[in-house]
Amino acid sequence: MDWSIQEIAKLAGTTSRTLRHYDDLGLLPPSRIGGNGYRYYDRAALVRLQRILLLRELGLGLPAIADVLAGQTGEARALEGHLGWLRHEQDRLARQVASVERTIEALEGGEEIMAKDMLDGFDHTQYREEVEERWGADAFAAGDRWWRGMRDDERAAWKERSAALGRDWAAAAESGVAPDSAEAQALAKRHVEWLTGIPGTPAGTPGGDVRAYVLGLGDMYVADPRFAANYGGEQGATFVRDALTVFAEANL
Amino acid sequence: MDWSIQEIAKLAGTTSRTLRHYDDLGLLPPSRIGGNGYRYYDRAALVRLQRILLLRELGLGLPAIADVLAGQTGEARALEGHLGWLRHEQDRLARQVASVERTIEALEGGEEIMAKDMLDGFDHTQYREEVEERWGADAFAAGDRWWRGMRDDERAAWKERSAALGRDWAAAAESGVAPDSAEAQALAKRHVEWLTGIPGTPAGTPGGDVRAYVLGLGDMYVADPRFAANYGGEQGATFVRDALTVFAEANL
DNA sequence: GTAGAACTTGACGTAGCGTCAAGGTCAAGC
DNA sequence: GCTTGACCTTGACGCTACGTCAAGTTCTAC
């Protein structure tokens, strides 16, 4: 007593294409092949198919299912391994959801409000995209809360400090000193200390990877004209990057 | 001022292969192509690339990213649409995790305990695989708790009721009446009422899809010899299925 | 005998690149 | 001017689990 490929597909709730696929993989050969080439399946094949479909619904890949059916791997072991992967996926998804949510929030609510704060030279909100691109919407949100939480005079002081740093960098770059000179390295030290004052960045977060952050920043200064403008243009930014690189490799 | 494909790949933290891929897709054409065919990228391209990589990290597909960059779709709108899909994925994963967990539990703990209950003709625990395959480990666990929670006399009564149903079905099948006859339909009604007594099944769960469940059961009776044996073999099972199908379509 | 349903194998498409393969180009050193 | 090695190019296959034609053969029913 056996069934045609369509019949068994309906019985098991799948398609004939799937059955041919499983045959191609050697996962479920037909119990009999007619002289006309037709595939026929018996009850044993149906039971096997149902196990396959069960495991597949649980998310196992076909090779893993093949191992289980071949007795190579215990069903429970295979499922536990799979469970680990599922949990990783859950974590990844949860992080991604949070990230997307924060990004939407920043896009919808934050942008106009922040735009009002954009004054002259330095305004960190100008760089939302860059910050999020490199260190996540988290970092931006933290930095933004910090910025908006300041009093006006505090903000002004911070801006002046930032602008002074930029001016000093530009001057040093123009003076022709080397990026590894004592003067440039002193500026680099000041720069890193300045960064440490910004919450949400690795430099402003205990345990953050300051070294990688600083190295990344250098590249960003060079790559983006809006940053570069703060340091005397592309040449200035290149100088800053080189000096930061030397500093980071020596001290971080 | 521009960069070679390797240089910009390093700056943005990706690979040259990816950049060629984006070029092929028209997502990020190089800003300049040398006479030798080499691709060169400027700062505008770098900024565009960084937006692409940001959106990609958030999980958007490349076509969706292309829409956003082309101004076809607002960034926030695209991300909100994406968020919906992410949440669906989360739900799906959560269900799958729960399902896998229950299956492992049943595999590890339950099996031997249940085996002791297997007596003569009908024992639902005999059908763990089938039950789980079709209605999930949930259903089996609920059914198993119910079964094990009964007193011995209750279990015996249930078995007798089940056996009587099986005998009556077999007799009806052998008598030659039609599946849509009043006699067969009365049996079908009894059968569905009997099913309603089993918690964990759709029939035993308020709001469950009884109709689909009953139709699926019919096929299973025919497909599986262990079930079929309860109803007078394959012919009996076929009769049961046909009668149940008629009943379900008319009354459920 | 013939139409229509069911079956066969073969092959492309899917998402986003990784990874050879085969060959041209460039900068540096001899 | 030649070699070496690094970097560049355009194909094209591979991966997951099939869906979806396409073209041809076989079965079933009238």
Side-chain angles (χ1 to χ4, degrees):
Chain A
M1 192 60 205
D2 46 19
W3 300 281
S4 75
I5 194 168
Q6 295 269 31
E7 289 168 344
I8 199 181
K10 271 178 208 155
L11 275 177
T14 183
T15 69
S16 59
R17 177 66 180 91
T18 298
L19 289 166
R20 275 192 281 271
H21 185 53
Y22 292 167
D23 185 13
D24 290 345
L25 297 184
L27 190 55
L28 181 69
S31 51
R32 182 170 73 81
I33 298 190
N36 47 21
Y38 283 24
R39 294 173 177 81
Y40 295 99
Y41 298 83
D42 60 12
R43 274 193 289 260
L46 176 56
V47 168
R48 187 177 171 91
L49 173 58
Q50 286 175 324
R51 284 198 72 191
I52 293 173
L53 295 179
L54 163 65
L55 292 174
R56 199 198 51 178
E57 269 178 42
L58 294 179
L60 261 75
L62 297 188
I65 293 177
D67 283 350
V68 171
L69 291 181
Q72 304 267 3
T73 311
E75 202 162 353
R77 197 192 319 283
L79 287 176
E80 291 194 25
H82 180 53
L83 193 55
W85 140 269
L86 283 176
R87 291 201 196 288
H88 270 138
E89 278 297 291
Q90 279 190 309
D91 289 352
R92 201 180 57 77
L93 262 186
R95 281 196 305 273
Q96 202 166 72
V97 164
S99 194
V100 171
E101 281 175 341
R102 282 191 300 262
T103 303
I104 291 174
E105 240 176 84
L107 281 174
E108 287 185 342
E111 203 135 28
E112 296 81 357
I113 302 171
M114 289 179 237
K116 288 190 297 183
D117 276 338
M118 282 169 52
L119 294 181
D120 44 6
F122 176 84
D123 186 337
H124 83 289
T125 62
Q126 187 176 347
Y127 308 119
R128 182 185 54 79
E129 270 181 22
E130 286 72 23
V131 172
E132 290 185 349
E133 268 161 17
R134 291 180 170 264
W135 301 287
D138 246 4
F140 176 73
D144 188 55
R145 276 195 304 276
W146 158 76
W147 180 251
R148 287 194 275 168
M150 281 197 279
R151 296 190 311 271
D152 284 347
D153 59 332
E154 288 172 329
R155 255 198 295 270
W158 179 265
K159 276 185 195 171
E160 174 46 29
R161 194 179 163 198
S162 306
L165 189 56
R167 278 195 304 271
D168 293 349
W169 271 120
E174 279 180 22
S175 77
V177 301
D180 58 354
S181 66
E183 190 185 341
Q185 289 303 298
L187 271 173
K189 184 159 185 290
R190 235 177 92 193
H191 196 100
V192 171
E193 287 165 358
W194 169 71
L195 285 172
T196 310
I198 309 177
T201 68
T205 303
D209 188 348
V210 185
R211 176 191 162 82
Y213 173 71
V214 169
L215 289 173
L217 262 186
D219 281 336
M220 192 166 83
Y221 290 160
V222 173
D224 194 302
R226 290 169 298 177
F227 284 98
N230 283 305
Y231 303 107
E234 188 172 312
Q235 310 217 349
T238 303
F239 178 78
V240 174
R241 180 194 61 187
D242 294 343
L244 284 178
T245 301
V246 170
F247 182 80
E249 309 219 319
N251 302 300
L252 299 179
Chain B
M1 193 59 205
D2 46 19
W3 300 281
S4 76
I5 195 168
Q6 294 270 33
E7 290 168 343
I8 200 182
K10 272 178 206 155
L11 274 176
T14 183
T15 69
S16 58
R17 177 66 180 89
T18 298
L19 289 166
R20 275 191 280 269
H21 186 53
Y22 292 168
D23 186 14
D24 290 346
L25 298 183
L27 189 56
L28 181 69
S31 50
R32 181 170 73 81
I33 297 190
N36 47 21
Y38 283 24
R39 293 172 177 82
Y40 295 99
Y41 298 83
D42 60 12
R43 274 192 291 262
L46 176 56
V47 169
R48 187 178 172 90
L49 174 57
Q50 286 175 326
R51 286 198 71 191
I52 294 172
L53 295 180
L54 163 65
L55 293 173
R56 200 199 48 179
E57 270 179 41
L58 295 179
L60 259 75
L62 297 188
I65 293 178
D67 283 350
V68 170
L69 291 181
Q72 303 266 5
T73 311
E75 202 163 351
R77 196 191 320 282
L79 286 176
E80 292 195 25
H82 180 54
L83 193 55
W85 140 269
L86 283 177
R87 292 200 195 289
H88 270 138
E89 277 298 291
Q90 279 190 308
D91 289 352
R92 201 179 56 78
L93 262 186
R95 281 196 305 272
Q96 202 164 71
V97 163
S99 195
V100 171
E101 281 175 341
R102 283 191 300 262
T103 302
I104 290 174
E105 242 177 82
L107 282 175
E108 288 185 341
E111 202 137 25
E112 296 82 356
I113 302 170
M114 289 180 237
K116 289 190 297 183
D117 276 338
M118 281 169 53
L119 293 182
D120 44 6
F122 176 83
D123 186 338
H124 84 290
T125 63
Q126 186 177 349
Y127 309 119
R128 183 184 55 79
E129 268 183 22
E130 287 72 24
V131 171
E132 290 185 348
E133 267 162 16
R134 292 181 169 264
W135 301 288
D138 244 4
F140 176 73
D144 187 56
R145 276 196 305 277
W146 158 75
W147 181 251
R148 287 195 277 166
M150 280 198 280
R151 295 189 312 271
D152 283 349
D153 59 330
E154 288 173 330
R155 255 199 294 271
W158 179 265
K159 277 186 195 168
E160 173 47 28
R161 194 177 162 198
S162 305
L165 190 56
R167 280 194 303 271
D168 293 348
W169 271 120
E174 280 179 22
S175 78
V177 301
D180 59 354
S181 67
E183 188 185 342
Q185 290 302 298
L187 270 174
K189 185 161 186 289
R190 233 177 93 193
H191 196 98
V192 170
E193 287 165 358
W194 168 72
L195 285 172
T196 310
I198 308 177
T201 67
T205 304
D209 187 348
V210 186
R211 175 191 162 84
Y213 174 71
V214 169
L215 290 172
L217 263 187
D219 282 335
M220 191 166 83
Y221 290 159
V222 173
D224 194 304
R226 290 170 297 177
F227 284 97
N230 282 307
Y231 303 107
E234 188 173 312
Q235 310 217 349
T238 304
F239 177 79
V240 174
R241 180 194 60 186
D242 294 344
L244 283 178
T245 300
V246 170
F247 182 79
E249 309 218 320
N251 303 300
L252 299 180

